[in-house]
Amino acid sequence: MDTEIKLKEIFAEIFNTNKDKINLKTKQNELKEWDSLGQLRLMMAIEEKFDISFSIEEIAGLTSFEMILNKTEQKTGKTH
Amino acid sequence: MKKTAFLSNVNIDPLRHRFENAGQYKICFSGYNQWQAEMLDDNSQLNQFCPDYVFIYLNCDEKNFNINDLISAVQSFTVKNPDCRMIISNFLFKPLSVHTYHDRSESENTEMNRKLNQLSADNQQVLIFNFNRLIQLHGYNSIFDNKYWYLGRIKFSNSGFNLLFSELNNFLNSIQGKVKKLLVLDADNTLWGGVAAEDGWQNLQIGNEGIGRIYLDFQSTVIELKKQGVLLALCSKNYIEDVLNVFENNTNMLLKWDDFVSTEVNWQPKSENLLHLAEVLNISTESMVFIDDNALERAIVANEVPGVAVPEFPKEISTLNDWFINEVVYTNFARHSLTNEDFEKTAQYQRNAKRQLAKQTINYDDYLRNLDIRLDIRSADKTSYTRIAQLTQKTNQFNLSLKRYTDIEILNFIERTDYLVYCISYEDKFGNEGIVGCSIVKIENSSAEIDSFMLSCRVLGRKIEFSFMDYIIKSLKNRGIERINLHYCATERNIILKTFLENYGFNTNDNSHYKNY
């Protein structure tokens, strides 16, 4: 749950939006600034905040909030 | 609000968001690799923006990079914009070479930086941004990250962008003279190790031995800062005799009582002492920096004194001096040899120098001619549809309708008789860029609707959009098309397309529907 809140805060900051607008179903291109460049800024910020690293293939494939949450939890060892 | 523009030959878009969120400057980012055209073209986004400051980061590992191109573009731009300051990052080749120990890039690197220094010496509008200092301090591998280079032409890592952002802010503050005036220092465990009233003035950690050396180095830095014009004040919860004893009797002390413009040694809350200092010295609390090892004191001051800067104190005391320079001095007391005042003083001299400079500059049309551009425009086919789909998905700036298509959809358009799909390939003296733009047109009897029209940002600013549109219109006219319509979908990032439509001669009544007949 902690990861989910932190991720929402990152999303809100990176995409200049309110964190209440982010939910599990939020997908790339649904948020105005979540375009291909936005995706890279997002990945960079998450990597730094959680001290994890996504592979180049993962970055291309993580296109929804839920996918990003699952992958981040997996990498930080918080899978439930 | 001052206007700052950013130019680069790599993607520095993450920097835009940092500056947007900070909201201190009106900003203008050009798509990457348009730096030369932006400076030379009078109608470019940059020239229209009339910036106060232009930051230029050029990565010299890029194949097309040539320092002389930078020099001539900067000379031309500064002649046209005599009030604009150019902040140019110095150069560093990647410290990895297949030529190992017979690599010659180091001398080439030195030569490029020498030319940049010369440019700055000749042209007072040019300031050098010492990016190499950051790289030396934090390490190449922590600032650069290849992953994002392959994904999106981004050279820096997230922490690289953070460092660049704060350094650039400090630099901009320094040239505007936006710096703090007063450094307020605590005494016990800040200027020396130990507590004067408990340990006694003769037993404090200060001096050449052991931990004392840490505080000695710190005091020495504080004295240097004072020599640069920063005012010092002492703020300590103590009986004044205990503190005076240290200053008067401990011969290891570098700081002297007289170094302080004011001393507040008492048992009042420190917040009140700071407000008192503001009154006595007639300076705003916003121009104060408060250093104290005690977290509670820091919290109270930060809370009660408006605008005062209260940096965290280092947890590891051996880092005190470097921490102070890096986190406190650069952030709050950064100075530049050329402040705005100096700049204005030399304006007269400069105007004369400018006339000389004007002879060395080049104009935009010469630049375009020198590029030796070769375009190949044709109907799309089965070899090009995947690249076209990719363009529709990735292009955000020069994109008419922002309609995104999959490769299957593009293939479908190519096969249909009521659609035409064009693509444009670009080559110049630096190399072949391949397919850099496309257009999709829907035909209905004698009229046509341009459904999509886009160019990759890599080739913007070279006027090729005019050639591309010429070709499409001529090809449609040859088919007997009389009316050409299009619909422009406005976003924050594709305004350049609107400018293009107007320059090209499309007519509109609502800034959305355009026609050419």
Side-chain angles (χ1 to χ4, degrees):
Chain A
M1 197 58 201
D2 196 27
T3 310
E4 189 174 336
I5 294 167
K6 273 197 215 162
L7 277 176
K8 281 184 178 171
E9 281 166 3
I10 296 173
F11 268 70
E13 195 196 319
I14 293 288
F15 301 133
N16 254 326
T17 184
N18 194 313
K19 61 176 185 283
D20 303 335
K21 290 201 175 138
I22 320 286
N23 57 56
L24 286 178
K25 298 268 176 294
T26 308
K27 287 187 179 60
Q28 189 175 7
N29 294 323
E30 284 178 9
L31 297 173
K32 202 175 102 211
E33 295 189 36
W34 195 356
D35 53 16
S36 57
L37 258 176
Q39 172 76 354
L40 300 187
R41 288 192 295 114
L42 176 69
M43 291 293 129
M44 289 173 104
I46 296 172
E47 287 185 332
E48 185 168 277
K49 188 73 103 195
F50 290 93
D51 196 19
I52 54 175
S53 178
F54 298 112
S55 73
I56 208 161
E57 294 86 359
E58 284 168 342
I59 290 174
L62 293 171
T63 54
S64 76
F65 182 84
E66 191 169 16
M67 289 164 92
I68 291 169
L69 175 62
N70 290 340
K71 185 59 81 181
T72 306
E73 286 184 334
Q74 183 195 326
K75 293 203 181 248
T76 51
K78 286 186 187 155
T79 326
H80 38 172
Chain B
M1 202 186 281
K2 294 280 185 190
K3 292 191 278 189
T4 308
F6 300 80
L7 299 176
S8 183
N9 63 346
V10 294
N11 189 345
I12 52 167
D13 200 64
L15 197 59
R16 170 217 300 266
H17 292 266
R18 286 163 170 82
F19 273 95
E20 268 173 6
N21 291 346
Q24 282 206 8
Y25 298 94
K26 233 181 126 181
I27 59 171
C28 170
F29 270 75
S30 306
Y32 82 91
N33 232 354
Q34 291 161 47
W35 60 275
Q36 221 178 334
E38 286 290 329
M39 280 193 272
L40 295 172
D41 181 0
D42 289 342
N43 299 313
S44 70
Q45 215 185 332
L46 177 70
N47 270 299
Q48 311 271 313
F49 182 65
C50 298
D52 297 296
Y53 306 106
V54 179
F55 171 70
I56 304 177
Y57 171 78
L58 296 178
N59 191 291
C60 56
D61 290 317
E62 289 301 279
K63 269 189 222 114
N64 302 350
F65 175 68
N66 181 336
I67 176 87
N68 297 324
D69 290 342
L70 171 68
I71 293 170
S72 54
V74 167
Q75 300 286 44
S76 304
F77 184 80
T78 50
V79 169
K80 288 181 288 183
N81 299 273
D83 298 320
C84 179
R85 317 289 297 270
M86 313 297 288
I87 301 165
I88 306 177
S89 170
N90 54 8
F91 304 106
L92 183 73
F93 282 117
K94 186 176 184 147
L96 283 173
S97 166
V98 70
H99 302 297
T100 59
Y101 304 115
H102 64 110
D103 180 47
R104 298 227 308 266
S105 67
E106 190 164 329
S107 57
E108 219 178 296
N109 204 151
T110 311
E111 178 59 13
M112 283 199 292
N113 285 323
R114 192 196 61 76
K115 283 187 174 173
L116 183 63
N117 285 328
Q118 190 59 49
L119 174 66
S120 171
D122 293 344
N123 184 339
Q124 284 215 285
Q125 284 173 264
V126 177
L127 306 174
I128 295 170
F129 178 80
N130 192 357
F131 191 53
N132 292 351
R133 185 187 80 82
L134 287 185
I135 298 170
Q136 282 160 349
L137 189 61
H138 301 276
Y140 189 92
N141 285 339
S142 80
I143 290 189
F144 292 89
D145 186 346
N146 270 333
K147 187 163 64 186
Y148 292 97
W149 168 248
Y150 292 119
L151 283 165
R153 295 294 173 260
I154 294 172
K155 284 270 181 189
F156 306 130
S157 65
N158 205 46
S159 60
F161 277 111
N162 289 341
L163 290 167
L164 179 57
F165 172 65
S166 75
E167 181 79 352
L168 194 49
N169 263 314
N170 294 343
F171 192 93
L172 286 166
N173 283 338
S174 78
I175 54 179
Q176 293 170 87
K178 275 195 206 165
V179 288
K180 307 281 182 178
K181 295 194 181 88
L182 178 73
L183 178 66
V184 185
L185 295 156
D186 170 46
D188 289 332
N189 284 318
T190 298
L191 290 183
W192 53 73
V195 177
E198 288 170 15
D199 301 318
W201 60 266
Q202 58 279 71
N203 301 318
L204 298 171
Q205 287 169 321
I206 176 76
N208 268 314
E209 303 307 317
I211 294 173
R213 183 66 190 255
I214 295 170
Y215 296 98
L216 199 72
D217 288 343
F218 176 55
Q219 289 198 8
S220 159
T221 302
V222 169
I223 288 168
E224 275 307 310
L225 204 55
K226 179 185 172 244
K227 285 184 192 158
Q228 293 181 29
V230 174
L231 302 175
L232 306 180
L234 189 67
C235 185
S236 166
K237 276 188 179 168
N238 259 314
Y239 292 109
I240 189 150
E241 302 77 37
D242 291 324
V243 177
L244 255 178
N245 261 335
V246 184
F247 280 93
E248 286 175 357
N249 301 321
N250 191 319
T251 50
N252 288 332
M253 287 285 293
L254 293 178
L255 274 166
K256 306 292 170 210
W257 191 253
D258 288 346
D259 287 327
F260 299 97
V261 288
S262 187
T263 48
E264 305 280 331
V265 183
N266 53 47
W267 295 93
Q268 306 296 318
K270 293 201 174 185
S271 51
E272 283 179 22
N273 281 326
L274 262 69
L275 294 171
H276 182 238
L277 280 171
E279 210 181 290
V280 188
L281 300 171
N282 193 25
I283 61 173
S284 139
T285 50
E286 280 172 24
S287 54
M288 297 182 180
V289 179
F290 176 69
I291 306 290
D292 199 309
D293 65 298
N294 184 315
L296 188 64
E297 297 289 1
R298 292 201 303 272
I300 293 168
V301 166
N303 212 29
E304 304 283 321
V305 184
V308 62
V310 186
E312 289 288 309
F313 198 77
K315 289 191 179 71
E316 168 54 50
I317 199 66
S318 64
T319 63
L320 178 64
N321 193 39
D322 284 359
W323 161 83
F324 179 71
I325 297 174
N326 197 30
E327 308 274 329
V328 182
V329 180
Y330 276 98
T331 313
N332 299 291
F333 300 109
R335 302 172 85 81
H336 199 279
S337 56
L338 280 174
T339 63
N340 278 353
E341 281 169 37
D342 303 326
F343 186 54
E344 269 139 39
K345 268 183 247 161
T346 52
Q348 178 68 42
Y349 154 80
Q350 213 179 356
R351 270 192 288 276
N352 289 327
K354 281 287 148 54
R355 291 186 193 104
Q356 293 300 315
L357 280 179
K359 293 173 193 160
Q360 305 168 17
T361 61
I362 60 163
N363 71 35
Y364 185 52
D365 289 329
D366 290 340
Y367 157 72
L368 288 179
R369 250 196 309 280
N370 281 335
L371 278 178
D372 197 12
I373 296 171
R374 291 177 296 277
L375 301 176
D376 177 24
I377 307 170
R378 61 171 95 186
S379 293
D381 56 28
K382 286 188 176 171
T383 62
S384 47
Y385 74 98
T386 37
R387 170 64 183 148
I388 292 172
Q390 194 186 40
L391 277 168
T392 70
Q393 284 157 25
K394 286 195 162 178
T395 310
N396 295 316
Q397 289 185 67
F398 196 88
N399 189 336
L400 174 72
S401 59
L402 293 154
K403 289 186 185 167
R404 316 296 191 186
Y405 292 114
T406 63
D407 45 1
I408 306 297
E409 286 169 315
I410 298 293
L411 197 56
N412 182 32
F413 288 138
I414 292 173
E415 281 165 357
R416 282 170 68 165
T417 51
D418 55 342
Y419 275 88
L420 295 169
V421 182
Y422 299 93
C423 61
I424 176 168
S425 302
Y426 174 99
E427 191 176 357
D428 64 22
K429 67 174 178 182
F430 296 116
N432 192 339
E433 296 281 348
I435 295 173
V436 292
C438 65
S439 180
I440 301 167
V441 182
K442 187 177 191 318
I443 308 289
E444 224 173 329
N445 303 320
S446 62
S447 57
E449 166 89 19
I450 301 181
D451 171 272
S452 296
F453 180 72
M454 70 200 68
L455 281 179
S456 158
C457 58
R458 269 183 297 177
V459 293
L460 289 185
R462 296 174 198 176
K463 299 189 176 171
I464 67 171
E465 54 273 30
F466 289 89
S467 312
F468 192 22
M469 188 56 89
D470 283 346
Y471 181 95
I472 293 168
I473 287 177
K474 198 173 150 207
S475 143
L476 291 173
K477 293 260 157 81
N478 286 346
R479 288 173 166 262
I481 302 292
E482 288 159 10
R483 291 182 301 279
I484 300 168
N485 296 297
L486 55 86
H487 178 234
Y488 163 64
C489 166
T491 69
E492 278 165 29
R493 293 175 65 187
N494 72 348
I495 299 159
I496 42 171
L497 212 125
K498 181 176 187 300
T499 317
F500 163 71
L501 292 173
E502 282 158 13
N503 289 341
Y504 193 86
F506 278 91
N507 301 310
T508 184
N509 292 324
D510 59 0
N511 290 321
S512 159
H513 296 87
Y514 287 78
K515 57 187 181 179
N516 181 280
Y517 47 85

